Structures are given as structure tokens and as C-alpha cells.
């Protein structure tokens, strides 16, 4: 077991390799001569970004490193903290405590689960952080880490994860929650279409806020994040006042009754699993800053410090907020009530509808801030999927013109969310589509944890430099076991039987469908990469596409078998032409641009990239 979490790593042979003059150029990315290390069919290139991170080795099929981030470097310590807090603190801490109490059966066990959520999040954060130490010049978190942990079969995991990330990237449930709380402010009971209309409007406003200026979107997210923290501090302090007996006994006769015999009650396996899912949902967002790694100066150092600070702040506030709920509201009332725990708390303490309306406003603002934080993080993740070349139209995903923001990913996420708000009816269809994200997400998290050992093993074999951060083995194994549990336990039936889930049909339908999605991705990949190219006499190769705004992307092209040797001889491992020339590909790129590349024309915002190109020139 390696206990090197905080202590600097010792140097060993090979640590100076990345600093050798023959391996990199100070103003640009590394290239093939002397900057490539081979391990069988794998080729690792030495790449350096402009975010003050050390040179990093990445497998050549990975999206090219952007030396100067076209999205800028606007993410500082406060933005790291608020990006994570903004995604973690949505509506979970206000609405899930009642469900968690029902699942665990007792006040004491539910409080332990909130602390357990902190531990599982720290373990997962450590896995992300070690990956970021290996690849500190790439944004997109899981996109990059899966790509580099499993580079063979070539483009398999990028293809599968890109489909899951794009097709299931909607935030419809969060937008509808925002609409519900906006209506609760004035006490109106909306119709289904009124609710959908306000959800569409709210999400559209959130998308517009982040679309026109990157730095302003971070400042706005920071402001709402601070309000979220202050709201939970207010609830926590109020709860401590209640617990001290400084509230009228008419409203709260015994504020400590729930803490006597706190572990009385019975939990079920399904209830425990459901409670753990709710806990993880409430902490989801601790990884948001890893989506913007290439926009952070000295990212590993900054995210290690500030990511942990954000997680610790949220964990303390979550536990204190639950203490406040249990001090003010009797356990039986929390279990049986359909009202959110925070509303019950405010009603008990203040006894006025005005106070509850104020709470609803704060929760609505928290929901809106959550939409902003999710939009910022997931847009970078989707953009990185596009930069891998496995999605059609790579310029659409990679470009940051005209506002210096990723408009393509923002638009796709907005369009899918609006579709999922309007199309499925409330009830079974909506719950089913929302649950669809559970199993694919848990699967990719599991193999990402296992993949960390794969990356360590390959780097050890190649005697590559040690990372800035290395997670304890105990922490990594704990994270893998948690993810495995989250994959296995959805198969366990609810207490009422196979039809007692949150839909009227078989409870495991979403699990089977999620598996079907993964299998469909594998079949599509096999046909696209292997079967069809063999039948039509071409092979898939990658080339680097550099845009006028400094953005870079891979584009997958079809190279006729007759010209394959010539192509390989005139391109480096990353896909950059060695002499500035290009080979005419087969009819059309491999699902990248949708149109013909036969004449190989350069678009207005595309700059030809030769081996020694350092700057973008018109």
C-alpha cells in the first residue's frame, strides 16, 4: 500500500525524461521524434499544456492537447470551490432527508449515511485526482480518464462513453424541480403544461447565462454558490438554536426527542440501497472541477486543496442541516410527510407561510445555480467527447467561436433537455427515462476505478515520471467496491415486490435497458470500425484539426487500403502531418464531418496543421 497522499514523491530514473530538450518544445506540443514512447501497439506522446502543469504522457489516440486553452484560464480557487458546491447543493439536502430516513429506518443510521456519503465522495475524489495528475492538461474528466485507461480497442470506450454522455446528458428533472419551487412561492398548483413551460423558460435562461461569456458565467456561478452556502448556514444555526431549547415549546415541545434511542427502527436491503443512492445523488458534483482542468493554472495542486475544501464544507453543512430537521420535526412526521424536510422545518420553527415562501425562493435559486454549474461542467465533458473525433462534425463540438464559449455542447444539452421536458408525460415515462442514466454511469465509474491500476501498471513498465498525487490503495479499492455495490444492488427487488418501484411496470426495466444501451454501443463500434471498413476497402485513421480560435480536435478519416502505408509514413502517432502534406482520404470522413472530404478543403475557421506549426495563422 502506498501512503503518499500528501508527501511529495521521490524521484526515480526517468523523472527527467519529460524535461529533456529533445522531448519537447517550450511553446508547443510534443511530437513524434523523441517524444513518443512505445509499449507494444500503444504509443505515448509527451504533451504540455499552457496551464502550468508538468509535461504529461498520454496515449496517442487521445484528443490532442490544447496548448493554450481556447476557453481561457478563468478558474481560480473560489471558482473551483463554487463549481463543486454549486453542483452538489441543489435540492437534495432539502428534499431527500425524509426518503433517507425511511430507507434507513432510524435517525442514527441516517446521520451515519450522510457521513458515509462524505467518505465515498473523498474516495472517488482521490481517484479523479490521481487521473488528473497523470493528464493535467485535458478537461473533460471521465472522457479523458476512460480514453487513457482503455486505449484498446481503439476508440471503443470513447464511442460508448460519448453516446452515453451526449444522449443521456439532459437535465430535465432539475429544470422541473426549479419550476415546482417557483410555483410554490405563490402557492399556485400548476397544470402539467404550465410546469413544463416554466421549466423550459428556466432552463433556457440558465443556458443563455453561460453562452456568451466564460468568465461571467463563472462569476455568476460563484455568486449563487455563496448564497447556497449562506442558506444552509442559516438553517444550521437555526437548528442549533432549536436544539438548545430557545424556541417556543408550543411549536417544538421537545427538540431532543429524535436523538434519544436514535437507532430505533428497522432498515431493509432495498431501503438501504435506495438511501445510499439518495446520499450519492446529494453529493454528486464533487468532481465538477475536473471537467475544467485545462482552464486551471497548476490544476492538481489547486483542485486537491480546494476540491477537498468544497467537499468538507458541504458535508458539514449537510450533517448540521439534518440535525436541524431532526431537532424541529418529529421522526414520524418526517417519515410520513410528502412535504420536503426543509419546508417542515421552517413551518415548525417560524410557523408562517411567509417564511416557507422565502425558503421556496432560496431553494428555487439553489436549483437554478445547480443548472448553471451542471451546464458549465457537462459542456466541457461533451466538448471533449467531440474532440476525440468519434462524434460527427468535430468543428461543431470543439469550436469556441464567436464568444469564447462551447456553444455546440451548450446547444445540444439545451435541446435534449427541452425535448425531455416536453416529450415524456409525467409519471412512469419520465421516471424511467431519468433512471436510465443510473446503470451506465455506475458501470463507467466502476471501470474507471479499475482502470487506475491499469494506468499505474503501464506507467511503471515504461518507467514514466511519478504523478503529483497518488491515492492510497485502500481508498481506491473502497471506491471500486462502492461502485460495484451500486451496479449489483439495483437488481434487488423493492419490499413490495417486482412492481413496487417508482414505475408501474417491472422495477428492473431501466437496468436492462441500460445494459442494452452499452451492448448497442459495442455493436455499433464493431460495425463502424471493423466490419464496414473491411467490406469497403478502407481503414480508419485520425488526423489533427486545428481551428482559428486555437481549439484542436481529432477527425477520423477513411484512408483507402492502397494508400494506408503512405498515410502512416507521413503522419505522426497523434495524426499531425509530418511534412505539411495530406493524403486524400476515402469518400467522406469516418462519421466526423458528414460530408465529402475528397477535395480536402480547409474551412474558414480551420488552419492547416503541420508538424512544426506552433501558432494559428490565418
Amino acid at each position: 500500500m502506498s501512503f503518499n497522499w500528501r508527501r511529495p514523491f521521490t524521484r526515480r530514473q526517468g523523472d527527467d525524461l519529460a524535461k529533456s530538450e529533445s522531448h519537447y518544445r517550450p511553446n508547443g506540443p510534443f511530437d513524434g521524434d523523441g517524444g513518443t514512447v512505445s509499449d507494444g501497439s500503444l504509443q505515448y506522446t509527451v504533451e504540455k499544456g499552457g496551464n502550468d502543469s508538468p509535461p504529461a504522457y498520454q496515449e496517442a489516440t487521445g484528443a490532442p492537447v490544447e496548448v493554450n486553452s481556447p476557453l481561457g484560464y478563468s478558474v481560480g480557487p473560489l471558482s473551483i470551490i463554487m463549481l463543486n458546491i454549486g453542483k452538489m447543493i441543489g435540492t437534495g439536502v432539502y428534499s431527500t432527508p425524509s426518503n433517507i430516513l425511511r430507507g434507513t429506518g432510524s435517525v442514527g443510521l441516517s446521520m451515519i449515511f450522510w457521513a458515509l456519503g462524505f467518505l465515498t465522495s473523498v474516495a472517488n475524489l482521490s481517484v479523479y485526482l490521481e487521473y488528473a495528475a497523470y493528464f493535467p492538461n485535458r478537461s473533460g474528466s471521465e472522457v479523458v480518464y476512460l480514453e487513457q485507461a482503455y486505449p484498446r480497442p481503439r476508440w471503443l470506450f470513447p464511442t460508448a462513453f460519448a453516446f452515453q454522455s451526449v444522449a443521456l446528458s439532459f437535465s430535465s428533472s432539475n429544470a422541473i424541480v426549479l419550476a415546482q419551487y417557483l410555483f410554490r412561492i405563490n402557492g399556485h398548483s400548476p397544470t402539467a403544461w404550465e410546469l413544463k413551460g416554466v421549466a423550459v423558460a428556466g432552463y433556457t435562461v440558465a443556458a443563455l447565462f453561460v453562452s456568451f461569456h466564460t468568465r461571467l458565467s463563472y462569476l455568476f456561478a460563484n455568486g449563487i454558490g455563496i448564497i447556497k452556502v449562506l442558506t444552509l448556514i442559516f438553517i444550521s444555526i437555526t437548528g442549533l438554536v432549536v436544539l438548545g431549547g430557545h424556541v417556543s415549546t408550543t411549536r417544538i415541545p421537545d427538540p431532543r426527542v429524535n436523538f434519544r434511542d436514535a437507532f430505533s427502527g428497522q432498515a431493509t436491503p432495498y431501503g438501504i440501497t435506495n438511501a445510499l443512492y439518495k446520499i450519492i445523488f446529494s453529493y454528486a458534483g464533487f468532481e465538477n472541477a475536473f471537467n475544467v482542468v485545462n482552464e486551471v493554472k497548476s490544476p492538481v495542486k489547486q483542485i486537491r486543496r480546494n476540491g477537498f475544501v468544497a467537499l468538507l464544507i458541504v458535508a458539514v453543512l449537510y450533517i448540521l442541516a439534518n440535525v436541524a430537521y431532526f431537532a424541529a420535526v418529529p421522526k414520524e412526521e418526517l417519515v410520513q410527510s410528502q412535504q420536503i424536510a426543509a419546508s417542515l422545518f421552517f413551518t415548525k420553527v417560524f410557523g408562517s407561510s411567509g417564511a416557507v415562501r422565502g425558503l421556496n425562493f432560496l431553494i428555487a435559486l439553489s436549483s437554478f445555480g445547480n443548472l448553471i454549474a451542471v451546464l458549465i461542467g457537462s459542456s466541457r465533458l461533451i466538448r471533449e467527447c467531440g474532440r476525440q473525433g468519434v462524434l460527427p462534425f468535430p468543428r461543431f463540438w470543439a469550436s469556441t467561436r464567436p464568444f469564447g464559449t462551447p456553444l455546440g455542447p451548450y446547444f445540444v444539452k439545451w435541446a435534449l433537455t427541452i425535448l425531455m421536458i416536453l416529450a415524456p408525460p409525467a409519471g412512469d415515462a419520465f421516471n424511467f427515462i431519468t433512471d436510465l442514466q443510473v446503470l451506465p454511469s455506475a458501470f463507467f465509474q466502476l471501470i474507471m476505478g479499475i482502470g487506475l491500476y491499469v494506468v499505474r501498471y503501464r506507467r511503471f513498465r515504461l518507467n514514466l515520471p511519478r504523478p503529483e498525487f497518488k491515492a492510497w490503495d485502500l481508498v481506491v479499492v473502497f471506491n471500486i467496491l462502492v461502485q460495484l455495490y451500486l451496479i449489483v444492488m439495483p437488481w434487488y427487488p423493492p419490499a413490495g415486490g417486482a412492481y413496487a418501484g417508482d414505475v408501474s411496470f417491472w422495477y428492473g426495466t431501466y437496468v436492462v435497458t441500460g445494459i442494452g444501451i452499452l451492448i448497442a454501443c459495442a455493436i455499433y463500434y464493431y460495425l463502424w470500425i471493423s466490419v464496414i471498413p473491411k467490406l469497403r476497402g478502407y481503414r480508419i485513421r485520425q488526423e489533427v484539426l486545428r481551428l482559428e480560435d486555437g481549439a484542436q480536435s481529432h477527425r477520423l478519416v477513411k484512408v483507402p487500403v492502397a494508400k494506408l502505408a503512405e498515410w502512416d509514413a507521413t503522419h505522426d502517432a497523434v495524426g499531425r502531418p509530418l511534412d505539411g502534406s495530406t493524403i486524400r482520404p476515402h469518400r467522406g470522413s469516418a462519421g466526423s464531418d458528414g460530408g465529402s472530404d475528397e477535395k480536402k478543403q480547409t474551412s474558414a475557421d480551420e488552419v492547416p496543421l503541420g508538424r512544426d506549426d506552433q501558432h494559428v495563422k490565418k
Side-chain angles (χ1 to χ4, degrees):
M1 187 181 299
S2 174
F3 292 92
N4 298 106
W5 194 335
R6 298 181 183 278
R7 181 170 58 84
F9 294 101
T10 58
R11 297 168 65 85
R12 61 173 176 168
Q13 183 182 3
D15 280 9
D16 293 326
L17 181 62
K19 297 179 181 179
S20 169
E21 189 67 29
S22 64
H23 283 270
Y24 78 102
R25 297 165 299 180
N27 297 319
F30 298 80
D31 51 39
D33 285 344
T36 300
V37 179
S38 297
D39 181 15
S41 65
L42 303 179
Q43 296 187 67
Y44 292 87
T45 58
V46 194
E47 305 280 353
K48 181 172 175 60
N51 60 349
D52 297 337
S53 60
Y57 287 79
Q58 73 165 28
E59 211 283 323
T61 54
V65 169
E66 293 175 314
V67 179
N68 296 304
S69 171
L71 295 167
Y73 299 99
S74 302
V75 183
L78 180 61
S79 293
I80 292 172
I81 293 172
M82 291 306 162
L83 269 179
N84 289 0
I85 286 179
K87 189 174 178 181
M88 280 189 281
I89 302 178
T91 58
V93 68
Y94 302 111
S95 59
T96 59
S98 297
N99 294 323
I100 292 168
L101 179 60
R102 279 194 290 270
T104 56
S106 69
V107 171
L109 189 56
S110 70
M111 295 296 290
I112 290 175
F113 263 55
W114 284 100
L116 179 63
F118 172 70
L119 297 179
T120 59
S121 299
V122 167
N124 216 348
L125 177 71
S126 299
V127 171
Y128 276 84
L129 193 55
E130 184 171 340
Y131 270 115
Y134 292 132
F135 314 108
N137 42 35
R138 295 275 305 278
S139 296
S141 61
E142 298 107 281
V143 180
V144 181
Y145 309 151
L146 289 168
E147 162 204 283
Q148 292 297 311
Y150 304 99
R152 298 293 184 272
R154 189 174 301 190
W155 304 305
L156 171 59
F157 277 92
T159 300
F161 191 77
F163 178 83
Q164 184 256 353
S165 300
V166 176
L168 303 179
S169 65
F170 46 83
S171 298
S172 49
S173 58
N174 293 344
I176 286 177
V177 166
L178 168 64
Q180 288 173 336
Y181 282 104
L182 288 175
F183 278 113
R184 286 182 184 180
I185 292 174
N186 62 5
H188 177 65
S189 298
T191 65
W193 281 103
E194 285 177 335
L195 191 67
K196 289 173 182 282
V198 173
V200 167
Y203 196 76
T204 300
V205 170
L208 290 174
F209 263 112
V210 298
S211 294
F212 297 111
H213 199 284
T214 296
R215 182 171 177 79
L216 287 180
S217 65
Y218 284 125
L219 292 175
F220 188 76
N222 292 349
I224 294 185
I226 291 171
I227 294 174
K228 290 184 178 190
V229 171
L230 292 177
T231 300
L232 281 181
I233 289 175
F234 174 74
I235 291 175
S236 301
I237 293 175
T238 304
L240 293 177
V241 170
V242 171
L243 194 62
H246 301 293
V247 177
S248 170
T249 55
T250 304
R251 293 178 183 168
I252 304 173
D254 187 357
R256 301 180 185 178
V257 64
N258 286 334
F259 299 99
R260 301 189 190 101
D261 197 13
F263 289 92
S264 64
Q266 185 174 4
T268 64
Y270 181 81
I272 290 290
T273 302
N274 189 52
L276 184 57
Y277 267 111
K278 300 292 185 185
I279 289 288
I280 290 175
F281 166 77
S282 297
Y283 279 97
F286 66 87
E287 81 295 343
N288 205 23
F290 292 98
N291 288 317
V292 297
V293 163
N294 202 31
E295 301 173 53
V296 183
K297 292 288 188 177
S298 303
V300 177
K301 175 183 176 182
Q302 291 293 342
I303 297 178
R304 177 173 60 182
R305 178 190 303 131
N306 298 297
F308 181 78
V309 167
L311 190 52
L312 183 62
I313 289 172
V314 168
V316 170
L317 290 177
Y318 278 0
I319 292 172
L320 289 177
N322 276 270
V323 169
Y325 301 152
F326 291 133
V329 186
K331 173 184 172 182
E332 294 74 17
E333 195 171 337
L334 273 171
V335 169
Q336 296 172 7
S337 176
Q338 298 300 315
Q339 198 176 9
I340 66 170
S343 292
L344 287 172
F345 171 77
F346 269 65
T347 302
K348 289 287 185 181
V349 174
F350 298 104
S352 68
S353 58
V356 175
R357 282 199 298 271
L359 171 68
N360 287 331
F361 171 76
L362 291 174
I363 297 177
L365 187 62
S366 181
S367 301
F368 186 76
N370 178 264
L371 294 179
I372 295 286
V374 171
L375 270 165
I376 291 173
S378 61
S379 68
R380 273 60 171 181
L381 186 146
I382 294 172
R383 179 176 183 268
E384 203 66 17
C385 289
R387 290 200 327 112
Q388 291 173 323
V390 298
L391 295 176
F393 313 109
R395 282 189 291 270
F396 172 80
W397 306 102
S399 177
T400 60
R401 299 180 73 180
F403 304 115
T405 59
L407 283 182
Y410 281 146
F411 174 77
V412 169
K413 188 166 177 65
W414 173 85
L416 284 172
T417 297
I418 299 306
L419 176 66
M420 296 310 302
I421 290 173
L422 298 177
D428 282 354
F430 183 83
N431 291 334
F432 171 73
I433 291 171
T434 302
D435 290 343
L436 261 183
Q437 303 174 67
V438 171
L439 188 124
S441 176
F443 170 75
F444 285 118
Q445 287 289 326
L446 172 65
I447 62 174
M448 197 174 87
I450 297 171
L452 191 59
Y453 284 106
V454 178
V455 173
R456 287 181 181 180
Y457 172 71
R458 290 197 185 118
R459 293 179 65 89
F460 178 79
R461 281 182 52 184
L462 294 172
N463 198 30
L464 297 183
R466 293 178 178 271
E468 289 185 65
F469 175 90
K470 187 175 181 181
W472 293 343
D473 288 329
L474 179 64
V475 171
V476 178
V477 171
F478 174 69
N479 176 70
I480 291 172
L481 292 176
V482 169
Q483 303 306 328
L484 187 62
Y485 178 87
L486 294 177
I487 287 179
V488 172
M489 287 310 293
W491 294 98
Y492 195 93
Y499 297 93
D502 61 355
V503 292
S504 60
F505 42 87
W506 183 53
Y507 75 98
T509 304
Y510 75 93
V511 180
V512 175
T513 306
I515 294 173
I517 289 173
L518 296 175
I519 293 174
C521 287
I523 293 172
Y524 166 77
Y525 166 83
Y526 180 68
L527 293 173
W528 170 50
I529 293 295
S530 181
V531 176
I532 296 177
K534 287 180 181 179
L535 292 176
R536 301 188 63 180
Y538 64 84
R539 297 294 183 267
I540 305 297
R541 289 293 185 267
Q542 65 187 26
E543 65 176 353
V544 175
L545 176 70
R546 174 173 283 187
L547 306 184
E548 180 70 11
D549 55 4
Q552 294 188 49
S553 174
H554 267 153
R555 172 168 52 191
L556 302 188
V557 296
K558 305 171 184 177
V559 180
V561 173
K563 296 183 177 181
L564 201 57
E566 184 182 359
W567 175 280
D568 292 340
T570 55
H571 291 77
D572 67 9
V574 179
R576 303 182 184 100
L578 295 177
D579 57 2
S581 63
T582 59
I583 305 300
R584 182 177 298 173
H586 202 57
R587 292 167 15 195
S589 58
S592 295
D593 278 336
S596 174
D597 280 334
E598 225 171 291
K599 294 184 179 179
K600 200 62 183 174
Q601 293 179 347
T602 301
S603 69
D605 63 346
E606 180 182 339
V607 177
L609 180 62
R611 175 185 169 195
D612 296 321
D613 286 338
Q614 295 300 312
H615 303 288
V616 178
K617 299 178 182 178
K618 186 70 174 176

